[in-house]
Amino acid sequence: MNTYCKTSCEKCSFIEKCKGCVETCGSPLGGRCVAAEYIKVGGMAAYEEFKVVYCV
């Protein structure tokens, strides 16, 4: 599977239910992925900035 955030899907417990991040335009499990949204709009730099500000 391809991801926007470069996370490895290999160890994810949802791997059997997931359809993939890139393949679903950032909604791998049917819902909104904040990481994918930031990356699609502003690239990895925007996502990294988001993590610094909001993921303490």
Side-chain angles (χ1 to χ4, degrees), residues 30-51:
R32 170 180 172 246
C33 176
V34 174
E37 289 181 15
Y38 270 86
I39 294 166
K40 288 191 302 185
V41 172
M44 282 300 287
Y47 177 55
E48 293 299 328
E49 183 177 330
F50 165 80
K51 290 192 313 184

Side-chain angles (χ1 to χ4, degrees), residues 3 5 7 11 16 22-23 27 34 39-43 46:
T3 64
C5 65
T7 299
K11 296 178 184 176
E16 298 298 323
V22 174
E23 293 80 2
S27 299
V34 174
I39 294 166
K40 288 191 302 185
V41 172

Side-chain angles (χ1 to χ4, degrees), residues 17-34:
K17 297 175 184 174
C18 181
K19 295 178 178 121
C21 188
V22 174
E23 293 80 2
T24 60
C25 297
S27 299
L29 297 170
R32 170 180 172 246
C33 176
V34 174

